[in-house]
């Protein structure tokens, strides 16, 4: 027996029935007679990367983003004239060209070792020498293609260059120079770290959207650069260490002798080849039969801890290396001279100069304690700083370059 529906429920059931019938007609198979309007949920995203174009914005991105914001304040009658002004400005900037390899690059764009060292001067020299050798130094790019991070990289290189005279002047301050110099160096290091953090933040962000189309730029324009002949000669001898060759720093003395033999044997220089080969054989025999204490072949400073790496002092590096050899039980080991690497020989030379500098400092300090006035000891300390400045500031740069480049 069916129960009658309450009077108030009847309209609801009627509406539900009507909806069911309509839904059935919509889902029934047959030829579609109408087009269904697309909805936001059903619209496919053709290019998901366009939602957020990450990376450092170019100068043109900055210009178009700013122009897009200001465009909203321009009246409808002036929009065409405004867009023409923006186009003319963009074209003017795009017409300005610079030699890309004359500007600094981020170290990871140059090589693995420059990225690990993160010394802007080393990175600039390595990239510049390789650009001269390969001819890339003559290629130009539009200023519009340069990025905000490129401008920051110029700032980092500038601070790296200024850091050297700043530390030199700080080290010559009487009495407190020894303590003031590392403080000044740490200030510049902190500035570089902050700039790197800004670059990473920019890379992780999105490029601001704009209403203007991208620039249509042509191929690279070649504008020859006049490079001094000594730099061209040096660039012809080295290349960027890309992992397929042995860096200059890691060449052994035996390998250096063989490379010199091959060069002289090629006929580039007129020599008595028989006598040359006899001398090379005798030198190789000497290198193989004579040994040196392994403790003299120091590890790199970055392998001995952050403190040793930050100070980069020859005596400290030697003591840390000696301690590591003692721990490993290798302090008494010896190796043939033939296995000594170029970097080992370079480190020993700088170690000798560093020890000489320390002895000179100790001498002036004792002289001060003995009653010699500062009018005598202070000028001596200043002269010492100037004389040994190439060791203090030039040697790390040279070491970084030979670690990052191979001999051609």
């Amino acid at each position: 027996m069916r129960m009658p529906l309450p009077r108030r429920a009847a309209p609801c059931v009627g509406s539900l029935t009507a909806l069911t019938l309509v839904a059935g007609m919509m889902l029934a198979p047959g030829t579609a007679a109408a087009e269904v309007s697309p909805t936001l949920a059903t619209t496919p995203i053709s290019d998901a990367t366009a939602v957020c174009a990450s990376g450092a914005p170019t100068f043109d991105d900055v210009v178009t983003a700013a122009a897009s914001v200001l465009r909203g304040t321009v009246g409808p009658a002036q929009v065409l004239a405004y867009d023409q002004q923006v186009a003319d400005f963009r074209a003017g900037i795009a017409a300005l060209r610079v030699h890309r390899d004359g500007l600094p690059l981020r170290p990871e764009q140059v090589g693995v070792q420059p990225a690990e060292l993160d010394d802007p001067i080393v990175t600039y020299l390595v990239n510049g020498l390789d650009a001269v050798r390969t001819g890339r130094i003559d290629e130009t790019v539009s200023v519009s293609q340069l990025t905000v991070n490129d401008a920051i990289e110029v700032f980092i290189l500038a601070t790296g260059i200024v850091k050297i005279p700043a530390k030199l002047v700080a080290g010559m301050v009487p009495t407190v120079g020894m303590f003031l110099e590392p403080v000044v160096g740490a200030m510049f290091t902190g500035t570089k770290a902050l700039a790197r953090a800004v670059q990473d933040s920019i890379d992780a962000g999105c490029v601001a959207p704009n209403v203007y189309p991208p620039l249509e730029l042509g191929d690279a324009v070649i504008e020859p650069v006049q490079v001094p002949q000594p730099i061209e000669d040096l660039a012809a001898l080295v290349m960027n260490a890309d992992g397929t060759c042995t860096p200059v720093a890691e060449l052994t003395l035996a390998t250096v002798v063989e490379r010199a033999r091959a060069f002289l044997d090629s006929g580039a220089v007129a020599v008595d080849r028989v006598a040359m080969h006899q001398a090379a054989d005798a030198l190789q025999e000497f290198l193989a039969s004579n040994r040196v204490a392994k403790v003299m072949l120091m590890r790199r400073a970055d392998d001995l801890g952050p403190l040793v790496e930050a100070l980069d002092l020859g005596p400290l590096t030697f003591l840390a290396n000696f301690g590591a050899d003692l721990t490993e039980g290798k302090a008494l080991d010896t190796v043939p001279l033939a296995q000594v690497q170029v970097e080992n020989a370079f480190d020993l030379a700088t170690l000798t100069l560093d020890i000489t500098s320390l002895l000179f400092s100790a001498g002036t300090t004792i002289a001060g304690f003995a009653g010699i006035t500062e009018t005598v000891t202070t000028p001596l300390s200043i002269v010492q700083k100037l004389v040994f400045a190439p060791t203090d500031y030039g040697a790390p740069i040279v070491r970084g370059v030979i670690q990052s480049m191979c001999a051609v």
Side-chain angles (χ1 to χ4, degrees), residues 252-266 276-277 279-285 287:
T252 63
L253 296 184
T255 303
V256 172
V257 172
E258 288 306 312
R259 288 180 66 90
R261 185 208 297 262
F263 173 75
L264 295 175
D265 201 33
S266 66
M276 181 272 294
H277 282 292
D281 291 338
L283 182 56
Q284 289 285 37
E285 183 179 354
L287 294 176

Side-chain angles (χ1 to χ4, degrees), residues 108-341:
E108 57 267 23
Q109 295 177 270
V110 177
V112 176
Q113 187 61 19
E116 184 175 343
L117 294 173
D118 196 12
D119 185 319
I121 299 178
V122 171
T123 303
Y124 186 71
L125 291 175
V126 171
N127 181 68
L129 288 172
D130 196 61
V132 171
R133 184 187 68 85
T134 59
R136 290 185 289 109
I137 194 69
D138 297 326
E139 296 180 2
T140 67
V141 298
S142 170
V143 170
S144 297
Q145 293 177 281
L146 299 179
T147 68
V148 175
N149 278 351
D150 291 331
I152 297 177
E153 203 65 41
V154 173
F155 168 76
I156 292 175
L157 176 61
T159 57
I161 295 174
V162 174
K163 178 181 178 180
I164 294 177
K167 289 183 64 177
L168 180 61
V169 172
M172 290 190 294
V173 176
T175 308
V176 297
M178 181 183 300
F179 308 99
L180 187 60
E181 183 178 359
V183 172
V184 172
M187 291 172 57
F188 281 94
T189 301
T191 302
K192 183 185 73 172
L194 179 61
R196 290 276 181 244
V198 172
Q199 286 180 321
D200 294 338
S201 177
I202 292 174
D203 284 337
C206 297
V207 177
N210 64 79
V211 299
Y212 295 98
L215 284 174
E216 296 292 337
L217 299 173
D219 298 332
V221 177
I222 303 299
E223 295 180 4
V225 178
Q226 297 298 323
V227 179
Q229 191 60 43
I231 295 181
E232 286 191 355
D233 295 339
L234 175 61
L237 300 176
V238 290
M239 61 180 291
N240 191 2
D242 56 0
T244 62
C245 57
T246 303
V248 174
E250 299 176 14
L251 294 176
T252 63
L253 296 184
T255 303
V256 172
V257 172
E258 288 306 312
R259 288 180 66 90
R261 185 208 297 262
F263 173 75
L264 295 175
D265 201 33
S266 66
V269 180
V271 294
D272 185 341
R273 295 189 180 182
V274 175
M276 181 272 294
H277 282 292
Q278 290 176 347
D281 291 338
L283 182 56
Q284 289 285 37
E285 183 179 354
F286 172 82
L287 294 176
S289 58
N290 288 273
R291 305 179 70 86
V292 64
K294 188 177 181 299
V295 70
M296 301 304 293
L297 310 184
M298 294 184 288
R299 298 169 176 81
R300 291 179 177 175
D302 54 349
D303 294 332
L304 296 170
L307 179 61
V308 178
E309 180 183 7
L311 295 177
D312 196 21
L313 294 176
L316 178 62
T317 304
F318 173 78
L319 292 175
N321 181 77
F322 182 62
D325 284 343
L326 283 175
T327 302
E328 297 174 3
K330 300 178 180 179
L332 300 180
D333 290 355
T334 61
V335 295
L337 284 174
Q339 296 181 13
V340 175
Q341 296 181 350

